[in-house]
Amino acid sequence: MVATQITRLRKEAGLSQAELAKRIGVSASAIGMYEQRRRSPAIDVIIALAQEFDVSLDHLITGSEFPRSISKDIIIHIPKSCPC
């Protein structure tokens, strides 16, 4: 699911694979491999993607708006400016 989400979010943002790669600090070929399901992104890349697209990790990974077992009131959102 993460491959589909990366592709959809990237296209919605009007970014090329190279532009997205530069923004999150990976190679353009890595983005291509993630989107083609040839490689799975590491957790630090998933976090960077969620921050870049301003979506929750759950949404990026599963496509759902909120986790099934957690109330939306307690979802933690990591802003782009987080020095994590």
Side-chain angles (χ1 to χ4, degrees):
M1 176 57 84
V2 71
T4 304
Q5 289 297 94
I6 293 170
T7 304
R8 183 184 63 76
L9 291 165
R10 178 181 61 76
K11 288 180 178 180
E12 284 179 3
L15 298 172
S16 68
Q17 289 179 343
E19 291 167 328
L20 176 58
K22 186 174 182 178
R23 288 182 180 209
I24 66 165
V26 299
S27 68
S29 64
I31 297 294
M33 286 189 225
Y34 302 150
E35 290 185 359
Q36 296 167 18
R37 295 180 175 94
R38 293 174 53 205
R39 182 189 298 174
S40 294
I43 190 66
D44 60 322
V45 174
I46 292 172
I47 291 169
L49 287 163
Q51 290 173 334
E52 178 63 33
F53 294 128
D54 195 27
V55 297
S56 69
L57 293 173
D58 183 67
H59 181 73
L60 182 63
I61 294 168
T62 68
S64 66
E65 211 41 51
F66 302 108
R68 293 180 190 151
S69 62
I70 301 175
S71 165
K72 69 178 183 177
D73 296 332
I74 60 170
I75 291 177
I76 298 172
H77 177 76
I78 303 171
K80 257 181 154 173
S81 60
C82 179
C84 318

